Amino acid sequence: MEPAISPMRTAILHYVDEMDAAAHDLKKLFARAHEIRGFAETAGMITTGRIAEILCRYMDDMERAGKPLDNMIVTLHASAIARAARAEEDDVRMGEKVAAELAALVARRLAEAH
C-alpha cells in the first residue's frame, strides 16, 4: 500500500486543481470533492478527506431538501480542501478544528433550510 500513497496524493492534488477550475460548475465541483472524499484518508490526507466529506454531505442534503446551495459555504469548503491538500504535513488537530467549525456552519444552514 505504501507505494500507492504518492500517486494517490498526486491524483488528489489534480482533483483539487480541477475543483478550483470548476468553481462555478457545482456538478463538477461535487464530483471532484466526492473523488477526494473517497480516497484522501487512504493517502494520509485525513483533513482533506474530512472536509470533502462535510461538503459532499451538505450538497447532498440541500439537494434532497430542494434548497439552493449557499455559495459561501461551498467556497469555504473548497478553499479548505485545497489548503489541506496542499499542506506539507497533515495537521490532524488543526484540521479537526477547521472541520468541526465547517460542520457547525453546515448544520446551522441545514437547520435553516428545513
Side-chain angles (χ1 to χ4, degrees), residues 61-69 109 112-114:
D61 288 350
M62 292 301 280
E63 183 177 329
R64 270 192 234 84
K67 302 290 181 177
L69 294 173
R109 179 64 180 109
E112 292 168 2
H114 289 22

Side-chain angles (χ1 to χ4, degrees), residues 77-88:
H77 280 77
S79 178
I81 290 167
R83 287 182 64 102
R86 292 180 179 127
E88 288 284 326

Side-chain angles (χ1 to χ4, degrees), residues 2 11 13 29 34 36 42-43 48 52-53 59 61-62 66 75 77-78 80 93 100 107 111 113:
E2 188 69 32
L13 290 172
L29 187 142
H34 192 271
I36 292 167
T42 304
T48 304
E53 170 70 20
M59 293 177 84
D61 288 350
M62 292 301 280
T75 300
H77 280 77
R93 194 170 16 159

Side-chain angles (χ1 to χ4, degrees), residues 23-81:
H24 299 291
D25 182 346
L26 294 177
K27 281 184 103 171
K28 188 171 183 177
L29 187 142
F30 175 81
R32 294 308 169 253
H34 192 271
E35 292 294 329
I36 292 167
R37 168 180 83 167
F39 64 97
E41 189 171 330
T42 304
M45 301 169 85
I46 296 164
T47 301
T48 304
R50 171 96 166 96
I51 297 169
E53 170 70 20
I54 295 166
L55 176 58
C56 288
R57 284 189 183 198
Y58 168 70
M59 293 177 84
D60 279 340
D61 288 350
M62 292 301 280
E63 183 177 329
R64 270 192 234 84
K67 302 290 181 177
L69 294 173
D70 182 321
N71 287 331
M72 180 196 67
I73 291 175
V74 173
T75 300
L76 284 171
H77 280 77
S79 178
I81 290 167

